[in-house]
Amino acid sequence: MTTRRTFLTATLLLGATAVSARLFGQQPPDSAGAADSRLIEDLVAAYRVLAHQGVLDGFGHVSVRHNRSETRFVMSRSLAPELVTAADLIEFDLYGNAVDARGRALYSERFIHAEIYRARSDIQAIVHAHTPSLIPYGVSSVPLRPIYHMASFIGDGVPVFDIRKTFGMTDMLISDSAKGRALAQVLGAKTCVLMRGHGVVVVGPSIPIAVGRSIYLDTNAQIQTQAMALGGKVIYLDPQEARKIMDAGENRGYERAWELWKTKVPGQ
Amino acid sequence: MTTRRTFLTATLLLGATAVSARLFGQQPPDSAGAADSRLIEDLVAAYRVLAHQGVLDGFGHVSVRHNRSETRFVMSRSLAPELVTAADLIEFDLYGNAVDARGRALYSERFIHAEIYRARSDIQAIVHAHTPSLIPYGVSSVPLRPIYHMASFIGDGVPVFDIRKTFGMTDMLISDSAKGRALAQVLGAKTCVLMRGHGVVVVGPSIPIAVGRSIYLDTNAQIQTQAMALGGKVIYLDPQEARKIMDAGENRGYERAWELWKTKVPGQ
Amino acid sequence: MTTRRTFLTATLLLGATAVSARLFGQQPPDSAGAADSRLIEDLVAAYRVLAHQGVLDGFGHVSVRHNRSETRFVMSRSLAPELVTAADLIEFDLYGNAVDARGRALYSERFIHAEIYRARSDIQAIVHAHTPSLIPYGVSSVPLRPIYHMASFIGDGVPVFDIRKTFGMTDMLISDSAKGRALAQVLGAKTCVLMRGHGVVVVGPSIPIAVGRSIYLDTNAQIQTQAMALGGKVIYLDPQEARKIMDAGENRGYERAWELWKTKVPGQ
Amino acid sequence: MTTRRTFLTATLLLGATAVSARLFGQQPPDSAGAADSRLIEDLVAAYRVLAHQGVLDGFGHVSVRHNRSETRFVMSRSLAPELVTAADLIEFDLYGNAVDARGRALYSERFIHAEIYRARSDIQAIVHAHTPSLIPYGVSSVPLRPIYHMASFIGDGVPVFDIRKTFGMTDMLISDSAKGRALAQVLGAKTCVLMRGHGVVVVGPSIPIAVGRSIYLDTNAQIQTQAMALGGKVIYLDPQEARKIMDAGENRGYERAWELWKTKVPGQ
């Protein structure tokens, strides 16, 4: 009992993973080596762009899969997105273990990222956010639907993850691998998943696409809310139209907007 | 087959119009000569003003008819509106062919502009936008109506273009002349047309008027949405009142606001 | 006929009042002398504060009664509020005639101010605005009501002026003395009056109070709209409570906020 | 009679408490000594952060309990929150008496703070605000409820204080100890209390927590209003989930966001 209590205290003080690895004699995972510098730049930009665009506030995070290893990803230490720099980035394995935490506090929900990278080899970037416009669609009987062509990536609907279904009463956080796996399962092959009473996860085959989807998912939700407030009948994008847009290049990979968004944050 | 595949690749790399003209032995259209420098300044300002005022985001575009030729118009290469400078402007004919693209990517929806200039000799400037406040009125059974004197230009209603009616399932874009013509037909003699699940086109006899209408169409939509949310009976502007305002000079050509809007963007 | 047509053209080119005075051999009204410099500073600040706070956009205006004469008031030449400086201010009489227009364009709705100063000797400052949050309450069967203590000045309700009742189909503008008088009559002894399909007029015994009321009328409308959207029963401020707040000094004359608002605009 | 009138005039000129103490021969309360400089820095930051985040406008205030005495607290002189500096801070006792007002005007509602510090020894910081998103929930039959994990601190509901119940028709202000006590009673052991037709009080065991709760209470209200506007059934956070989040550290004391918020205001 005493040992366990001491362990818990130390964990709280120093950051759980690194400490647990050391206490139990585990080695931290090996590094895949330095990640591509362009990837690092884009990841830092993604943190700042998402904060500037109102998708993230003081909480939430973005990650990118390591370009040298399928089983490594990179994200910031526990820090408000707008403050993230390249020096804050840490490499993780798919169990949420940091390669070299150096005592820095870690995002407790890094397991969202780890388990989605494990489940979805097509995914290179992941955003977790509490975007205000999206919370209603995670708690309402009214589903989020694509209302215009910029949201074609949700043409086949957005699943809602309710942590209560598998884990009962919790603190709502995806703070271990089991919860991450359950979330990844509800995400399935989709581009995003709403989390009841919590937020959203958006994934993509590149950083600009994951960022672009996050921004237009927000805009789409705001528009849908306004459209429903009018009280009339609303026509949504047809799933076939959505598919045609995706096939045609999904808003050209958001590159035109991505170039703009980056000009609005420092360090670019 | 090989030839066609090579052509497609080259097209993607270099910009469709210029390349197709060259490959098929077509000449690009002749230039009407240098456009008036004031017109160019105003066009660059229009891009930046509409971005600053929230009418445009990373997508959408503005054009102006060339002052030396009825059959030429000027708009930017494919670029986020806020980043457009005079160096990015390209001259087009009414088939959407660039006079001198020099391999730069073109807006795929330039056919909106080409076909409206062809159909409406009274029009000198055109805006295409995805303004969030307007999308609901393109997908709802509730029509957009003028709620105050600043929106007199929609006194006789706003038509809604549904691409599905003529073209079935598409990627929603006005990416060729036929689609541009169909859109111009629904616009008719009006000042703007909503596009179901996509956006809006606003036209005018000058750049400041097209910009002013775009901004007040946005404001009018926001106000109407709030008015309807109150749940009471709403009185709209009478069509006769709207006509009197138009006859009296339509908000004095928006000149007073145009001078203000320009002060808020760089390069003025 | 020819004479009249020539007159109208000249009027449009040079500004109606000054020209008409000259053409008909009328003298412009005498000046009451230089207005108090603090009043001038506050008036310029009012224009800029109201623009910064979103009450005014590129249109609308503020005026102050001249400190040396009950029958003179000061407002800007026709200009977007945010751009107004002391050099743009012009003195007017209560017929809307400029003392010294020097060919500058005048606000066509200066008669709002002229007629209210004539009717209400207790009023020293007037704001005319198209504030988006307020337009719904001028066109809806739902009345604007005080939802919290900051809006005690509308404790006894806000009248709505409908220009159609007296003048039939118009361009909606208060562009002559008769229309100004009709508006002043509906205002009566109140602090503000909504104009159907147009905007609002707010009055006060000082510039900071007229500005403060304009800002909190806007905020109150936004809050009421949100409160009604909840769908439950709403309790408004009791008229007796409103009166007690007014008797206690109406938000201390808004001085605490006025000092803040001024820090946010240039030239202070 | 004359004496009383003179007293009232002097009171208005110099600030009620200090004057009344002097006129009636009372001594101002003793100081507990200089407060911790980190506490002072955080209090100034709190004023500015809450203004920057839109929780406070030109009115409202924050206080902190003195680190050297349970019966003293510190808050600004009467001043718009965004303008507060360390030089504006004044020490008070739990009767709302200033230790050294030096003639400066005091917030008339300092009794909110005094009486809550008296009633709640667990509380170290208090915010009083008129946040627009929250006013509806103080006047509507629809209760404010936690819609996502960031608002776990209202998991057991938000009481509404109606000043009319005990004091009848008033100017709505908590301008004496009796009113402060009545408000503290309705607050009870909760983290916040809505004030009908007025605003909100939020309390916490530290400045960052009181600030963080104020910001997320605002966000939660905005989200709930949007969720209800969708018209479907809404699932709120389960009280047990809320409790688990509180037990797990309530958003880690908002430290991650607090570091961010401070970077956005001057003087940090």
Side-chain angles (χ1 to χ4, degrees), chain A residues 147-150 216 223 226-227 230 232-235 237-238 240-241 244-245 248 252 256-257 260 263-264, chain B residues 57-59 78-80 82 107-108 130 132-133 135-137 139-142 164 169-172 196-198:
Chain A
I147 204 157
Y148 76 150
H149 69 312
M150 297 303 295
Y216 282 103
I223 296 173
Q226 286 171 34
L230 297 182
K233 186 178 148 33
V234 176
I235 307 170
L237 206 63
D238 191 284
Q240 282 188 58
E241 290 173 329
K244 292 238 177 200
I245 298 167
R252 293 189 173 195
R256 199 192 304 168
L260 171 67
T263 65
K264 295 178 166 295
Chain B
D57 59 4
F59 299 92
S78 176
L79 190 64
E82 203 168 330
Y107 291 129
S108 60
H130 309 154
S133 66
I135 305 295
Y137 292 96
V139 299
S140 170
S141 56
V142 174
R164 207 159 33 177
M169 292 297 150
T170 66
D171 68 359
M172 304 295 286
R196 192 264 309 162
H198 180 165

Side-chain angles (χ1 to χ4, degrees), chain D residues 99-241:
Chain D
V99 163
D100 185 15
R102 278 177 278 142
R104 293 172 290 180
L106 307 179
Y107 291 129
S108 60
E109 296 199 297
R110 58 196 181 277
F111 304 95
I112 293 173
H113 304 258
E115 293 300 326
I116 291 174
Y117 286 123
R118 185 195 306 283
R120 291 277 300 273
S121 62
D122 59 317
I123 289 309
Q124 306 300 324
I126 300 173
V127 175
H128 169 54
H130 309 154
T131 320
S133 66
L134 294 171
I135 305 295
Y137 292 95
V139 298
S140 170
S141 56
V142 174
L144 182 63
R145 297 180 60 184
I147 205 156
Y148 76 150
H149 70 311
M150 297 303 296
S152 58
F153 56 89
I154 57 164
D156 47 4
V158 184
V160 178
F161 171 75
D162 188 343
I163 197 169
R164 208 160 31 178
K165 285 203 183 139
T166 314
F167 300 95
M169 292 298 149
T170 66
D171 67 358
M172 306 295 287
L173 300 182
I174 304 298
S175 48
D176 61 36
S177 299
K179 288 171 182 158
R181 263 195 306 278
L183 176 63
Q185 224 158 28
V186 175
L187 170 65
K190 302 283 172 88
T191 57
C192 43
V193 56
L194 292 163
M195 304 158 83
R196 192 264 309 162
H198 180 166
V200 69
V201 174
V202 180
V203 302
S206 74
I207 289 176
I209 291 176
V211 168
R213 286 175 179 174
S214 299
I215 290 170
Y216 282 103
L217 194 65
D218 177 18
T219 308
N220 188 82
Q222 293 183 43
I223 296 173
Q224 183 178 342
T225 304
Q226 286 171 36
M228 299 192 73
L230 296 182
K233 187 177 147 34
V234 176
I235 307 170
Y236 294 93
L237 207 63
D238 190 285
Q240 281 188 59
E241 290 173 329

Side-chain angles (χ1 to χ4, degrees), chain A residues 51 56-60 79-82 107 130, chain D residues 216 256-258 260-261:
Chain A
L56 298 177
D57 59 3
F59 298 91
L79 190 64
E82 203 168 330
Y107 292 129
H130 309 154
Chain D
Y216 282 103
R256 198 193 303 168
W258 174 247
L260 172 68
W261 294 327

Side-chain angles (χ1 to χ4, degrees), chain B residues 86-98:
Chain B
D88 299 306
L89 300 181
I90 298 177
E91 186 184 341
F92 292 90
D93 69 9
L94 299 191
Y95 300 95
N97 294 311

Side-chain angles (χ1 to χ4, degrees), chain A:
Chain A
M1 281 301 268
T2 309
T3 312
R4 184 172 151 73
R5 202 172 289 154
T6 311
F7 160 67
L8 283 173
T9 311
T11 299
L12 284 170
L13 288 173
L14 293 177
T17 308
V19 171
S20 64
R22 231 173 301 146
L23 282 186
F24 294 117
Q26 291 175 0
Q27 292 299 316
D30 290 336
S31 171
D36 183 76
S37 68
R38 172 66 188 274
L39 214 60
I40 295 301
E41 268 174 44
D42 276 5
L43 182 57
V44 171
Y47 269 99
R48 291 166 175 265
V49 162
L50 288 167
H52 184 266
Q53 297 290 323
V55 169
L56 298 177
D57 59 3
F59 298 91
H61 21 82
V62 204
S63 69
V64 68
R65 196 192 292 266
H66 200 295
N67 59 295
R68 294 193 180 187
S69 166
E70 293 282 305
T71 64
R72 294 287 182 278
F73 68 97
V74 181
M75 72 188 311
S76 170
R77 67 178 175 98
S78 175
L79 190 64
E82 203 168 330
L83 305 179
V84 169
T85 66
D88 299 305
L89 299 181
I90 297 177
E91 187 184 341
F92 292 90
D93 71 9
L94 300 191
Y95 299 95
N97 295 313
V99 163
D100 185 16
R102 279 177 277 142
R104 293 173 289 180
L106 307 179
Y107 292 129
S108 60
E109 297 199 297
R110 58 198 181 276
F111 304 94
I112 294 173
H113 304 257
E115 292 300 326
I116 292 175
Y117 286 123
R118 185 196 306 283
R120 292 277 300 272
S121 61
D122 59 316
I123 289 309
Q124 305 300 324
I126 299 173
V127 175
H128 169 55
H130 309 154
T131 320
S133 65
L134 294 171
I135 305 296
Y137 292 95
V139 299
S140 171
S141 55
V142 174
L144 182 63
R145 297 180 60 185
I147 204 157
Y148 76 150
H149 69 312
M150 297 303 295
S152 58
F153 56 89
I154 56 164
D156 47 3
V158 184
V160 178
F161 171 76
D162 189 343
I163 196 169
R164 206 160 33 177
K165 285 202 182 138
T166 315
F167 301 95
M169 291 298 149
T170 66
D171 67 359
M172 305 295 287
L173 300 182
I174 305 298
S175 48
D176 61 37
S177 299
K179 288 171 182 159
R181 262 195 306 277
L183 177 63
Q185 224 157 29
V186 175
L187 169 66
K190 302 282 172 88
T191 57
C192 43
V193 55
L194 292 163
M195 304 158 83
R196 192 265 308 162
H198 181 167
V200 69
V201 173
V202 180
V203 302
S206 74
I207 289 176
I209 290 177
V211 167
R213 286 175 178 173
S214 299
I215 290 171
Y216 282 103
L217 194 67
D218 177 16
T219 308
N220 188 82
Q222 293 184 43
I223 296 173
Q224 182 177 343
T225 304
Q226 286 171 34
M228 298 192 74
L230 297 182
K233 186 178 148 33
V234 176
I235 307 170
Y236 294 93
L237 206 63
D238 191 284
Q240 282 188 58
E241 290 173 329
R243 216 162 303 129
K244 292 238 177 200
I245 298 167
M246 294 300 280
D247 291 348
E250 192 190 347
N251 310 323
R252 293 189 173 195
Y254 306 91
E255 280 296 341
R256 199 192 304 168
W258 174 247
E259 290 311 312
L260 171 67
W261 294 327
K262 285 193 296 181
T263 65
K264 295 178 166 295
V265 296
Q268 302 303 321

